[in-house]
Amino acid sequence: MTCQEVMDYMQRQLDGDLDERETEILMSHLKDCPDCAEMQKRLSLLSSELENLPKVAPPYSLVDAIMPRLEQIELQRQEPEESVLPRRKTPDRSGRSWFQRYRALSGVIAAGLVAGIFMLTYNPQNLPTASENSNAAGNAAGVADSSLQSNSIASDTNQAQNGEQQETMASDEPTKNFNTDAAEQGAGVESAETGASAPATEPQARSFKGDSNQESLSKKQVTRVTASSPDGAASNSSGGHEQNSKAEKDGNGSHSPSYSGQIGGSKDEASNRNSQEAPDMGFVPPENVDADIFSDQKALAGIAQVQQAVSPDSRYSAVVTDQSVSIYSTDSNELLFRGGEREGVISNLLWSDDNLTLGYDVKDSHGNVSHYVIHVKDGTEAKQ
Amino acid sequence: MVEPGLIRAAQSGDRDALITLLREIETHVYRTAYYIVNNEQDAMDAAQEALIRIYTKIGSYEEKAQFKTWVQRIVTNICIDKFRRSKPTVSIDEHEMVFQEKQNVEDEVLSTYIAKDIREAIDKLPEHHRAVVVLRYLQDFSYNEIADSLDLPLNTVKSYLFRARQQLQTLLHDYQKGGVRG
């Protein structure tokens, strides 16, 4: 028996995997071979040290730590089964308190967003600074967006009265003390949308790596949008557009020089503007931040180069990165498909209702728009 | 060891049972994460993510597999996929022939390795070797249980474990020589 074969026996002995006969063979070899005997001593020392490694425990209960997220998952699961009305009558208390926390947070984030926008717009020539800011603001936009989404659901739950939803929104929360005008009005507008019809805002600027609670919440929202009006959900600009018109109708957009006026022309125009201008950071100074909070987020999202669309069944998430569209599993975050790189601006990510295909538009520097379709199952991508 | 009744209750939609079950396994989940990612904060993140995944996927667990290997599969996958670091690990093959080296027996002092050195050495192992060692020594898994958890053939598990131990032995030996005797 060679020393290398004995090594195998030694190893197996450490795991209690030797029978009597093998043990005997090993022992008799070790008696005659000091090198192997030495090695065996070392290995068994190592093995016992490994067995004695500290049995570490988490410093605090992990289950307690994830409880809010688990409740969130439950809420999300219940949603498709329950109609909106019963849910209003029986709000989940714990879920609600969670929302309220994020409602307060959304105000803070929106304030940061406003500050970020002003920094951006007042230093248009200072590129390095501007790009730094844009990153920060882009991230903030993602979070703010999903928190506003939370707001909309929270108010959805809270609202018993259907009539003047915006007033409800503006008056029923103690947490609004933290909110800036922008956040309140932005949230108010959003809640009005939610209450009145399907939410029209496609959360384009979503924090990509964000907290999965927020993300899953937003996903749910998108799912609903897609189910009721695939058109609206897909067109990234329609949210801003409808949002703005709604805001103006409701008298919410009270500041006169309105960005929304420029963006509100047509859906396509709006989306092209956003996607084209964003990388150049040359977007129009939004004086009326309140009514335009969503449009601004989209512009910022363009800078941050994060566009995302979740499939109607929430299983897939399409993200625009580096001039191509990637599809991830929302469960495992596994990359399922990565599309080819496109020369131009990618926009209008749109899932089919059957979750099988994702379409998107690419606008090149000459303004020509091509449409591409990704088949998720086959992992193919074709120009149409 | 989690009671089968508790698992079945959790699978049938008893949320309290599911939470109880998560509480029972959280330390095991954390421990594996801790020794694979070798960092408390990442271990907390990975373990929480694993628990959430277990929470959402409990329906997909089938009794033909052991529950504990199913759980460990989830946590090791998360640790390996999400917390993969770019830092270099030693190539395990370089040391394959270590055994052939002439060991200097007479002035060798077999002193106790300190736990920190061992953790550092484990951290230098390639991911799957590290996972095998962690499951073997921190979860007290058999070869078969490790194979189930990591979805590896039995022989691969053995070879990873054996090589990992040889590797650790060499690394710790080097530490000792460098640290204790200068």
Side-chain angles (χ1 to χ4, degrees):
Chain A
M1 194 158 197
T2 69
C3 290
Q4 197 62 45
E5 284 165 331
V6 168
M7 181 63 154
D8 197 62
Y9 274 38
M10 279 189 230
Q11 292 271 10
R12 287 175 48 212
Q13 188 199 30
L14 297 175
D15 303 316
D17 194 46
L18 285 192
D19 61 25
E20 268 181 39
R21 193 186 55 86
E22 290 167 325
T23 312
E24 243 171 65
I25 297 173
L26 174 64
M27 289 311 169
S28 69
H29 179 96
L30 291 182
K31 245 186 284 167
D32 301 333
C33 178
D35 282 353
C36 283
E38 171 64 19
M39 180 54 96
Q40 199 253 353
K41 250 197 275 178
R42 289 166 174 284
L43 281 176
S44 39
L45 174 69
L46 169 76
S47 192
S48 66
E49 293 296 336
L50 287 169
E51 268 157 20
N52 290 328
L53 278 173
K55 303 280 183 281
V56 291
Y60 51 84
S61 165
L62 297 175
V63 174
D64 288 346
I66 59 172
M67 206 55 101
R69 288 161 79 183
L70 299 184
E71 278 165 16
Q72 193 51 39
I73 291 168
E74 282 306 312
L75 271 183
Q76 219 186 306
R77 282 179 176 169
Q78 287 161 15
E79 202 158 282
E81 292 151 29
E82 291 177 32
S83 71
V84 176
L85 278 173
R87 199 153 45 83
R88 284 183 183 165
K89 282 176 194 153
T90 55
D92 180 329
R93 288 203 68 80
S94 48
R96 191 178 148 174
S97 69
W98 188 85
F99 285 131
Q100 283 170 353
R101 262 179 280 147
Y102 278 90
R103 171 176 293 195
L105 182 64
S106 76
V108 177
I109 292 165
L113 183 66
V114 171
I117 288 164
F118 275 106
M119 286 162 95
L120 271 177
T121 51
Y122 280 103
N123 298 293
Q125 68 278 60
N126 188 351
L127 267 183
T129 316
S131 72
E132 263 183 287
N133 287 338
S134 76
N135 281 338
N139 288 338
V143 182
D145 187 53
S146 29
S147 349
L148 288 173
Q149 296 281 346
S150 340
N151 267 329
S152 73
I153 294 187
S155 62
D156 201 35
T157 332
N158 297 340
Q159 279 163 11
Q161 58 275 62
N162 286 324
E164 300 185 348
Q165 282 151 337
Q166 289 196 342
E167 279 187 27
T168 313
M169 186 64 193
S171 60
D172 70 349
E173 286 308 322
T175 50
K176 88 179 163 89
N177 297 337
F178 297 107
N179 293 356
T180 63
D181 279 358
E184 256 177 52
Q185 296 197 5
V189 171
E190 173 71 359
S191 82
E193 284 290 334
T194 316
S197 61
T201 307
E202 164 78 349
Q204 185 182 1
R206 199 172 306 124
S207 153
F208 179 30
K209 283 174 56 185
D211 181 6
S212 70
N213 294 325
Q214 297 185 5
E215 215 179 335
S216 59
L217 190 61
S218 314
K219 273 178 211 155
K220 181 51 67 188
Q221 199 76 349
V222 179
T223 313
R224 262 206 265 154
V225 175
T226 320
S228 55
S229 63
D231 222 359
S235 153
N236 288 329
S237 63
S238 69
H241 178 200
E242 288 182 40
Q243 199 70 55
N244 290 331
S245 47
K246 182 81 184 174
E248 280 164 10
K249 225 187 297 166
D250 291 340
N252 217 354
S254 48
H255 306 238
S256 44
S258 172
Y259 185 40
S260 71
Q262 300 170 35
I263 204 176
S266 79
K267 290 181 182 180
D268 284 339
E269 211 178 283
S271 80
N272 291 340
R273 272 176 52 86
N274 279 331
S275 42
Q276 272 188 322
E277 288 185 8
D280 301 327
M281 279 174 270
F283 59 94
V284 177
E287 275 131 14
N288 181 358
V289 171
D290 297 0
D292 291 327
I293 187 150
F294 289 96
S295 334
D296 291 336
Q297 282 174 3
K298 281 204 293 290
L300 289 165
I303 295 172
Q305 291 289 307
V306 177
Q307 281 190 74
Q308 189 176 13
V310 178
S311 65
D313 64 2
S314 301
R315 285 176 59 204
Y316 307 116
S317 174
V319 182
V320 178
T321 42
D322 301 334
Q323 298 294 306
S324 74
V325 177
S326 301
I327 294 179
Y328 293 85
S329 157
T330 48
D331 285 336
S332 62
N333 269 341
E334 188 188 345
L335 178 64
L336 302 173
F337 175 79
R338 185 172 175 91
E341 293 202 358
R342 306 289 164 217
E343 300 219 337
V345 179
I346 297 175
S347 63
N348 291 346
L349 302 184
L350 171 58
W351 283 96
S352 62
D353 288 340
D354 58 10
N355 305 300
L356 295 176
T357 61
L358 173 89
Y360 63 91
D361 291 338
V362 178
K363 186 171 183 181
D364 67 19
S365 51
H366 306 294
N368 301 320
V369 178
S370 325
H371 187 68
Y372 290 84
V373 174
I374 296 171
H375 288 267
V376 180
K377 284 262 152 53
D378 315 341
T380 58
E381 186 180 42
K383 188 174 177 179
Q384 294 200 334
Chain B
M1 184 65 207
V2 183
E3 275 211 26
L6 187 62
I7 300 168
R8 273 193 286 272
Q11 286 193 297
S12 65
D14 180 343
R15 190 165 178 270
D16 289 343
L18 181 48
I19 298 290
T20 308
L21 183 128
L22 292 182
R23 288 193 192 283
E24 283 191 17
I25 61 175
E26 69 168 27
T27 303
H28 289 283
V29 168
Y30 173 78
R31 197 170 291 159
T32 295
Y34 178 82
Y35 280 101
I36 293 182
V37 302
N38 194 28
N39 158 343
E40 189 174 291
Q41 191 51 54
D42 285 350
M44 292 296 278
D45 291 348
Q48 290 186 25
E49 197 176 330
L51 290 170
I52 288 173
R53 200 173 288 179
I54 290 162
Y55 182 92
T56 55
K57 302 278 183 186
I58 187 73
S60 70
Y61 164 70
E62 292 173 23
E63 265 181 55
K64 65 184 180 202
Q66 279 197 75
F67 185 68
K68 65 176 182 180
T69 60
W70 184 75
V71 167
Q72 292 297 326
R73 172 185 291 217
I74 289 173
V75 63
T76 50
N77 277 341
I78 288 174
C79 290
I80 292 176
D81 292 348
K82 294 238 170 143
F83 296 87
R84 172 172 287 147
R85 292 148 301 169
S86 48
K87 77 172 185 56
T89 52
V90 284
S91 161
I92 204 83
D93 291 322
E94 279 174 23
H95 296 270
E96 196 173 0
M97 292 295 132
V98 152
F99 174 73
Q100 308 291 12
E101 275 175 25
K102 188 80 183 157
Q103 302 290 348
N104 199 349
V105 183
E106 64 271 7
D107 62 353
E108 190 58 51
V109 184
L110 289 177
S111 61
T112 317
Y113 305 125
I114 55 172
K116 186 175 143 288
D117 285 347
I118 298 181
R119 267 177 43 208
E120 265 178 40
I122 292 175
D123 200 42
K124 289 199 167 72
L125 295 174
E127 282 150 353
H128 280 94
H129 292 73
R130 199 185 319 148
V132 170
V133 168
V134 170
L135 292 181
R136 161 70 179 82
Y137 284 102
L138 277 309
Q139 301 296 339
D140 213 12
F141 274 15
S142 68
Y143 297 149
N144 273 313
E145 287 165 343
I146 299 171
D148 286 348
S149 301
L150 300 178
D151 211 6
L152 293 172
L154 192 61
N155 280 335
T156 309
V157 168
K158 283 192 202 178
S159 116
Y160 280 9
L161 179 61
F162 295 177
R163 286 179 183 202
R165 270 196 296 237
Q166 264 183 283
Q167 175 78 52
L168 290 174
Q169 185 276 132
T170 309
L171 285 168
L172 290 168
H173 185 57
D174 290 350
Y175 285 155
Q176 265 194 334
K177 275 200 286 203
V180 179
R181 291 188 289 168

